[in-house]
Amino acid sequence: MNTQDKSSFWLIMSAIFFGNFLAVLSITTINVAFPVVMEQFDATLSTTQWLMAGYLLATGIVAPIVGYMGDQLSYKRLFVLALLGFTLSSLLCVVAWNIETLIAFRITQGVFGGMIIPITMTIIYQVFPRERQAYAMGLWSLASMLAPVIGPTLGGWLVQYFGWKSIFILNIPIGLISMVIVSKFIPFYRLTGKKRFDFLGFLTVVAGSSLLLLSFSHGNDWGWGSWKTLSLLISGILLLLFFIKWELRISSPLLQLKVFKFPRFRYSLILNCIVTISLYTGTLLVPLYLQTVLKLSPMDTGLIMLPGAVVMAAASPIIGKFYDRIGPFRLVITGVLIIVAATLAFSGIGVHTSVLYISLLQLVRCLGIALCNMPLTNAAMSAVSSEYSGHASSITNWARQGLASLSIGIFSALVVSRTSYYLGAGASTQRAATTMGIDDVFMIGTLVAVIAIPLTFLLRVKKKKTAHPAAL
């Protein structure tokens, strides 16, 4: 099952890299095409935004069931199926005849894109030998971080010179080439036997995830205290609580929650969630500050954010090399302390803070996130036996997707409420009130990051033990 040959490693890694790259890239390239799509199909912005929201919703819904599907089909077959579905749905987007069909095909693309992300992570831990997993995860993280960096720029260039359909046409040749590499070089294997399909678990997790993600995505627009948001939120939580209770009772669960019996997986997942929240704090607040307070254009904002994003992407494979030498603890504790310091510094910015200072702070903060991201993911995945790695990957990506939506929704609402508070308290200008509101939310982000500091030491404690948790 392990692939020792160096050329095979790079061929398999290329399929993993480009598959993951395409799935993440498709999230960020579509935004720049909104005006053109709205004009061609005579659609409103509220309708067109579902090209983005629908894709994200689909990726979050499908994540919990990937582990089961991989166990039944094998991850090689499932990867080929996901690439085929992603490529065909991209082709369907090209031939869409109205905004409704384009949204439908885009949601279908999101289903297969949401499968690709956990599949590629799982294959790393089931195909590559342990000594190459950290480096492979560094490359996987590079794809995840590089795609959002170049997505808006690449999408803008394609739309300007080749039209909005070129965004989807780009996926077709890369998807086909990746399918050939996967079919030829990834070995066929299945680590578990056939199991019956947990239909009730499937319905509850899909419905619960959908309701929660919808409430997270639209809570700021509807109002977090509105009956619509609260009903979706409560219903989603109740359905997921039922799902968890049901999965622990039955003999053939859809999602193996037994992975939480591995202590390092639990600790790493909690830390990963905190880092995800910290990531989206900056992703939301820094552009908001640059455009609403400093009055910079979207292009200038992107250029200021670019150095940090490039550092985060470039550092990932290098960190993967260091991981094998020093383990996760030193990398993660360094990253967490950097995140805390940089986020705290952001909480003190004002209406006249220089652009250079903002760019440097963002660069430092992104380096801290990079130092945490891959080591935490690898620490969690390597702690789980190969039999359950697909389920561990599904849970990890499911948690990230949900927290991304929740973080953006809550932080957006907090900025609005704190800005209103400062305006009512006598802030001299709208810009000053907005800045103070953003500062308050950065302080909240700092406190969230501080929670990670003591938790990081749990990684060190587990590292000292020589016994590996027994496979369940």
Side-chain angles (χ1 to χ4, degrees), residues 54-354:
Y55 186 96
L56 289 172
L57 183 64
T59 61
I61 291 171
V62 76
I65 65 173
V66 171
Y68 173 85
M69 296 172 66
D71 288 346
Q72 302 309 294
L73 298 175
S74 90
Y75 283 91
K76 173 177 180 171
R77 288 176 177 170
L78 188 60
F79 194 11
V80 172
L81 176 64
L83 287 168
L84 177 62
F86 187 85
T87 304
L88 288 177
S89 57
S90 297
L91 180 60
L92 288 172
C93 287
V94 174
V95 300
W97 51 92
N98 56 35
I99 190 64
E100 290 78 17
T101 54
L102 181 58
I103 291 171
F105 297 147
R106 174 73 173 161
I107 292 173
T108 305
Q109 187 188 48
V111 170
F112 292 107
M115 292 168 61
I116 289 172
I117 296 170
I119 288 170
T120 51
M121 182 188 293
T122 302
I123 288 175
I124 286 174
Y125 292 94
Q126 293 189 349
V127 173
F128 295 141
R130 182 173 289 270
E131 63 268 17
R132 308 204 76 171
Q133 288 172 1
Y135 182 59
M137 268 308 299
L139 295 172
W140 185 92
S141 299
L142 171 61
S144 299
M145 296 175 183
L146 188 62
V149 172
I150 71 170
T153 304
L154 177 62
W157 180 76
L158 288 172
V159 170
Q160 182 173 344
Y161 291 102
F162 303 102
W164 66 267
K165 294 183 179 182
S166 60
I167 291 175
F168 300 105
I169 294 173
L170 175 69
N171 298 332
I172 298 172
I174 300 176
L176 292 173
I177 293 170
S178 297
M179 286 170 58
V180 172
I181 296 173
V182 172
S183 300
K184 187 172 182 180
F185 292 99
I186 293 182
F188 175 82
Y189 61 92
R190 186 184 287 123
L191 300 182
T192 60
K194 289 283 186 179
K195 298 186 296 184
R196 70 178 181 84
F197 183 67
D198 176 18
F199 189 70
L200 180 59
F202 172 75
L203 287 179
T204 53
V205 75
V206 167
S209 299
S210 300
L211 294 176
L212 281 181
L213 289 171
L214 280 172
S215 66
F216 295 163
S217 300
H218 297 284
N220 199 39
D221 298 327
W222 297 337
W224 288 96
S226 69
W227 69 267
K228 188 184 293 187
T229 301
L230 290 176
S231 61
L232 289 179
L233 193 60
I234 293 169
S235 299
I237 291 172
L238 291 175
L239 282 171
L240 289 184
L241 287 174
F242 173 82
F243 169 74
I244 292 170
K245 186 176 180 180
W246 175 255
E247 294 298 287
L248 292 172
R249 287 177 52 192
I250 63 174
S251 57
S252 299
L254 183 73
L255 189 61
Q256 276 289 2
L257 300 178
K258 291 180 180 179
V259 295
F260 286 101
K261 292 186 177 181
F262 295 90
R264 177 169 282 197
F265 177 79
R266 292 199 305 268
Y267 306 146
S268 299
L269 181 62
I270 293 170
L271 286 164
N272 222 327
C273 290
I274 294 173
V275 172
T276 298
I277 294 170
S278 296
L279 171 64
Y280 282 95
T281 306
T283 301
L284 170 72
L285 297 180
V286 175
L288 183 66
Y289 170 81
L290 291 173
Q291 293 183 50
T292 61
V293 177
L294 299 188
K295 303 298 181 182
L296 299 180
S297 68
M299 176 63 74
D300 289 338
T301 300
L303 290 174
I304 292 167
M305 300 283 286
L306 184 62
V310 170
V311 165
M312 189 162 60
S316 295
I318 299 172
I319 293 168
K321 286 284 190 181
F322 276 99
Y323 183 96
D324 290 327
R325 300 178 188 175
I326 62 177
F329 171 71
R330 294 181 186 177
L331 294 169
V332 175
I333 191 64
T334 303
V336 168
L337 291 174
I338 290 173
I339 292 171
V340 169
T343 310
L344 181 62
F346 264 123
S347 70
I349 58 177
V351 293
H352 300 298
T353 302
S354 73

Side-chain angles (χ1 to χ4, degrees), residues 304-415:
I304 292 167
M305 300 283 286
L306 184 62
V310 170
V311 165
M312 189 162 60
S316 295
I318 299 172
I319 293 168
K321 286 284 190 181
F322 276 99
Y323 183 96
D324 290 327
R325 300 178 188 175
I326 62 177
F329 171 71
R330 294 181 186 177
L331 294 169
V332 175
I333 191 64
T334 303
V336 168
L337 291 174
I338 290 173
I339 292 171
V340 169
T343 310
L344 181 62
F346 264 123
S347 70
I349 58 177
V351 293
H352 300 298
T353 302
S354 73
V355 168
L356 178 61
Y357 180 74
I358 297 295
S359 185
L360 288 174
L361 265 188
Q362 179 67 1
L363 186 151
V364 171
R365 203 168 171 280
C366 286
L367 177 61
I369 291 169
L371 284 166
C372 295
N373 190 36
M374 189 289 297
L376 285 173
T377 303
N378 192 65
M381 293 295 295
S382 61
V384 177
S385 61
S386 296
E387 179 183 358
Y388 295 123
S389 58
H391 295 269
S393 174
S394 295
I395 290 170
T396 299
N397 286 280
W398 187 28
R400 282 176 174 172
Q401 185 64 39
L403 279 170
S405 299
L406 178 61
S407 300
I408 290 173
I410 290 180
F411 289 148
S412 298
L414 285 172
V415 170

Side-chain angles (χ1 to χ4, degrees), residues 285 288-289 292-295 347 349-352 412-442:
L285 297 180
L288 183 66
Y289 170 81
T292 61
V293 177
L294 299 188
K295 303 298 181 182
S347 70
I349 58 177
V351 293
H352 300 298
S412 298
L414 285 172
V415 170
V416 172
S417 65
R418 296 306 294 168
T419 300
S420 299
Y421 168 79
Y422 284 117
L423 282 173
S428 57
T429 63
Q430 176 70 42
R431 290 174 63 203
T434 302
T435 302
M436 289 187 283
I438 290 173
D439 286 349
D440 285 354
V441 180
F442 266 124

